[in-house]
Amino acid sequence: MKKIRSALVSVYHKEGLDALLQELHKNGVVFYSTGGTYDYITSLGLPAVKVEILTSYPSILNGRVKTLHPKVFGGILARRDVASDGMELTQYGIPEIDLVIVDLYPFEQTLAAGATHEDIIEKIDIGGISLIRAAAKNYNDVVIIPSSAYYNSFLDLLVAQKAATTTEQRQYFAAAAFAVSSHYDTAIFHYMNRQAGIPALRISSDHRNILRYGENPHQKGSFYGNQDEVFEKLNGKEISYNNLLDLDAALALINDFEETTFAIIKHNNACGIASRPTLSEAWDAALAGDPVSAYGGILVTNTIIDEETAKKINTLFFEIIAAPDYEKNSFEILKQKKNRVILKVKTTQFAPYTYRSALNGVLEQDRDNSTETKASLIPATTTIPTEAETEDLLFANKVVKHTKSNCIVLVKGKQLLASGTGQTSRVDALKQAIVKAKEFGFDLKGAVMASDAFFPFPDCVELAHREGITAVIQPGGSIHDKLSVDYCNKNSVAMVFTGIRHFKH
């Protein structure tokens, strides 16, 4: 146990600091401080020594340099069990500093508020971050409180141990200090690197949500990130690891649709999706796509949930619903089941890059933000798709983009009839889709087909044509494109190329 006798306090946020200071003062701790923090301490009626008195040097450069001085850092970094360190402190009149309390300039908050570049740069803390690192390095003798988030836990410790700490406790706060400093530096790096383009990966999050388990019950799982930025949870149980994966897929999918659309997600894929003039109609059509898989699924829409739709979907067991908002009566209907998770979506716009672990590293790629339009379609056949077919082709292409590869999607009337997902061959994906569509009573005559990648052989268009499919959308780019195109031309099937592949693994 080491008793705290002196403390350097330099903080930006002062909320919650007063109780900490009062407890330290009660235990005879001497305060060193500067600027606004010094004024705050003395406003509480507590004595404090100005850092400028300690260093015999004023704060300079409009406050940019205040604590960066040997008389400050010497007192923090001196090793109490090294005789020569103690002799130097005596020689130069440097007091030992046993506790450092720092709360850094709010760089991330300033950036998020849309401040000017000059204001953002001024919120890069120099002295504070240096104090944090110095005190954390010398945790054997010094306690570091690196942010206001630790005020309360440290206060409890002070009261219980009368301003004394153990090595293990100081080491814990040192680890917390490097978590704070590394996160702070990561945010600054990302800002400065927007134009520099230095090829380095830095990912940091202070928001850890421990999940019930991972993908399976025998696996531990956590989510790092601030879910409150994405949605407001209005009702229901804890969101699971698999729920979060499905939500990610659901929000990415619905973000590609502007018309009133409803989708049902199961294992990251849409088992039902439709666009209609009203939400109630969209729900009916989406559910019809696969009412069996819809059980226990994730529901998502881009439209406010009305009472009529709520009554319909309330008859189905599902885990989560995500929507921009809910009419009062519809929310009352949906929340009748206490475990049902009801989310009010705040944003569907996410970071421009995606990451996943692979081998002993991390894969990074641009997010697939390409959504093809009518203007970007390249006619590949002499038969041109009708206006209705073109709308269905674009609808199908959006769905196939968000479905696991290899994938084939069948659509008619802006309704998913069926999809073949995650197959090892494209023709198997088509066969799967055809079987499912027929199982649920759909007539494929006049339907369209979308493929996430090109057709290496004409077998898919041959099979699709035999089932009555009249239009096809695919990236194109195979050395054997001509085989599929020739078959379509001979059988009056329309085909368009997009030039964009949408693999999803």
Side-chain angles (χ1 to χ4, degrees), residues 215 239-250 265 267-268:
E215 198 162 9
I239 299 174
S240 72
Y241 182 99
N242 291 328
N243 289 159
L244 289 169
L245 289 176
D246 281 336
L247 275 171
D248 183 70
I265 305 299
H267 295 292
N268 308 158

Side-chain angles (χ1 to χ4, degrees), residues 478-496:
S478 169
I479 59 173
H480 297 302
D481 274 346
K482 188 174 184 298
L483 297 177
S484 295
V485 171
D486 286 348
Y487 181 88
C488 289
N489 280 332
K490 289 177 184 177
N491 294 278
S492 300
V493 175
M495 179 183 285
V496 294

Side-chain angles (χ1 to χ4, degrees), residues 291-312:
V292 175
S293 296
Y295 182 86
I298 306 294
L299 312 186
V300 64
T301 182
N302 56 4
T303 305
I304 296 173
I305 301 288
D306 55 54
E307 184 176 358
E308 178 185 354
T309 308
K311 288 179 178 178
K312 289 181 176 181

Side-chain angles (χ1 to χ4, degrees), residues 419-495:
S419 59
T421 65
Q423 298 301 303
T424 52
S425 79
R426 199 155 302 282
V427 70
D428 281 347
L430 175 56
K431 290 176 180 177
Q432 181 191 54
I434 291 170
V435 169
K436 286 196 69 175
K438 290 181 176 180
E439 182 180 341
F440 294 116
F442 289 113
D443 181 3
L444 292 177
K445 289 183 174 60
V448 306
M449 175 173 71
S451 175
D452 58 340
F454 62 61
F455 298 114
F457 304 104
D459 49 2
C460 282
V461 293
E462 291 170 1
L463 178 56
H465 171 247
R466 289 198 298 270
E467 296 294 336
I469 290 166
T470 56
V472 178
I473 186 169
Q474 58 133 325
S478 169
I479 59 173
H480 297 302
D481 274 346
K482 188 174 184 298
L483 297 177
S484 295
V485 171
D486 286 348
Y487 181 88
C488 289
N489 280 332
K490 289 177 184 177
N491 294 278
S492 300
V493 175
M495 179 183 285

Side-chain angles (χ1 to χ4, degrees), residues 324-486:
D325 209 343
Y326 303 82
E327 292 181 359
K328 182 178 179 181
N329 289 344
S330 66
F331 177 68
E332 294 299 322
I333 292 168
L334 294 173
K335 76 171 188 177
Q336 291 172 5
K337 297 197 169 55
K338 65 178 183 179
N339 286 333
R340 177 182 286 162
V341 177
I342 303 175
L343 303 178
K344 180 179 177 180
V345 178
K346 297 179 181 179
T347 182
T348 55
Q349 301 295 323
F350 303 117
Y353 306 105
T354 64
Y355 304 92
R356 66 191 299 180
S357 60
L359 302 177
N360 62 341
V362 176
L363 287 169
E364 175 193 70
Q365 67 172 349
D366 296 340
R367 187 177 292 277
D368 186 357
N369 287 326
S370 178
T371 304
E372 287 68 62
T373 64
K374 182 178 179 180
S376 63
L377 301 182
I378 305 166
T381 55
T382 54
T383 300
I384 303 300
T386 66
E387 188 65 30
E389 286 174 333
T390 299
E391 290 185 359
D392 279 350
L393 289 170
L394 292 172
F395 182 100
N397 196 58
K398 292 175 182 178
V399 178
V400 85
K401 165 186 169 182
H402 296 282
T403 308
K404 297 292 185 182
S405 300
N406 284 315
C407 175
I408 292 289
V409 164
L410 305 180
V411 165
K412 184 162 67 172
K414 296 182 183 177
Q415 176 190 24
L416 174 64
L417 305 185
S419 59
T421 65
Q423 298 301 303
T424 52
S425 79
R426 199 155 302 282
V427 70
D428 281 347
L430 175 56
K431 290 176 180 177
Q432 181 191 54
I434 291 170
V435 169
K436 286 196 69 175
K438 290 181 176 180
E439 182 180 341
F440 294 116
F442 289 113
D443 181 3
L444 292 177
K445 289 183 174 60
V448 306
M449 175 173 71
S451 175
D452 58 340
F454 62 61
F455 298 114
F457 304 104
D459 49 2
C460 282
V461 293
E462 291 170 1
L463 178 56
H465 171 247
R466 289 198 298 270
E467 296 294 336
I469 290 166
T470 56
V472 178
I473 186 169
Q474 58 133 325
S478 169
I479 59 173
H480 297 302
D481 274 346
K482 188 174 184 298
L483 297 177
S484 295
V485 171
D486 286 348

